[in-house]
Amino acid sequence: EVQRCGGDGENRPLILARLTPAADPLPPRKGPDQGLGDHPELIESIMDAVGLADLDGRLLRSNRAFRELVGYTEAELRGITFWDLTPPQWHELQKRIMAEQVMVRGYSDVFQKEYRRKDGRNVPIELRVIQTRDPGGRPTGTWAIVRDITERVEAEENLQRFRYAIDNAREAVFW
């Protein structure tokens, strides 16, 4: 046990532990959720959007952040695939990443695309997809960790407009 100072000036214990396979609190189990389904509080507490899909892309489970991102209730998401949430212009990229990364090595690099919300608005996101397997090693589905990057995209677009304005200014700009 190590003491650390909390943000309020109080010392709080910091417990350091290393999990070994024998001490893993989430043992492998059958089905696409690989044991995390037994820990819904863990999934709900994650700040990023998290979704579990079967091999056909049907959404099986999600956390509150995911549901808020896409604007659907948990019940509504049960009838939806991640293909339904992905605008058509992103389908080819998603297929390529699934085939070349996820199915080959078990996870994707972080990549960007959009999700279409229930209200019809597209939301820029970045995500990583992780393949789930059954105890026999056969693929069962995927987990996706998704982050809304709307603010970052807007900041980048503003910066590009600013650079364009500076580059095309007729008079010198100093600061």
Side-chain angles (χ1 to χ4, degrees), residues 21-159:
D24 188 349
L26 304 175
R29 56 177 250 177
K30 294 179 184 175
D33 60 4
Q34 291 189 336
L36 289 176
D38 292 337
H39 302 278
E41 68 283 355
L42 173 64
I43 297 167
E44 285 298 324
S45 69
I46 296 172
M47 300 299 287
D48 287 327
V50 177
L52 170 68
D54 66 15
L55 289 175
D56 295 322
R58 281 187 302 269
L59 292 163
L60 305 173
R61 179 166 288 123
S62 62
N63 68 355
R64 183 175 355 106
F66 188 92
R67 294 186 298 272
E68 289 174 359
L69 175 69
V70 297
Y72 288 94
T73 66
E74 188 171 5
E76 290 171 325
L77 283 173
R78 286 194 195 107
I80 293 177
T81 69
F82 67 77
W83 298 107
D84 298 328
L85 295 174
T86 303
Q89 67 266 27
W90 297 102
H91 284 199
E92 198 56 44
L93 172 69
Q94 180 83 37
K95 287 177 188 173
R96 191 171 67 247
I97 288 171
M98 294 299 289
E100 296 174 6
Q101 295 179 18
V102 179
M103 298 308 284
V104 172
R105 65 180 187 211
Y107 62 93
S108 71
D109 294 330
V110 174
F111 65 101
Q112 294 181 9
K113 66 174 195 172
E114 294 175 316
Y115 270 162
R116 175 159 293 134
R117 291 177 42 84
K118 182 179 177 179
D119 63 14
R121 186 171 51 96
N122 287 353
V123 179
I125 59 169
E126 69 178 13
L127 68 157
R128 179 181 301 266
V129 178
I130 302 102
Q131 185 181 70
T132 59
R133 296 176 178 268
D134 67 17
R138 291 176 297 276
T140 58
T142 58
W143 280 104
I145 302 168
V146 183
R147 183 168 290 159
D148 181 346
I149 58 169
T150 300
E151 290 180 9
R152 182 188 330 158
V153 168
E154 288 172 356
E156 289 170 356
E157 289 171 352
N158 288 337
L159 182 58

Side-chain angles (χ1 to χ4, degrees), residues 2-14:
V2 177
Q3 294 292 316
R4 71 172 175 86
C5 182
D8 57 3
E10 295 292 318
N11 284 331
R12 305 209 194 269
L14 175 65

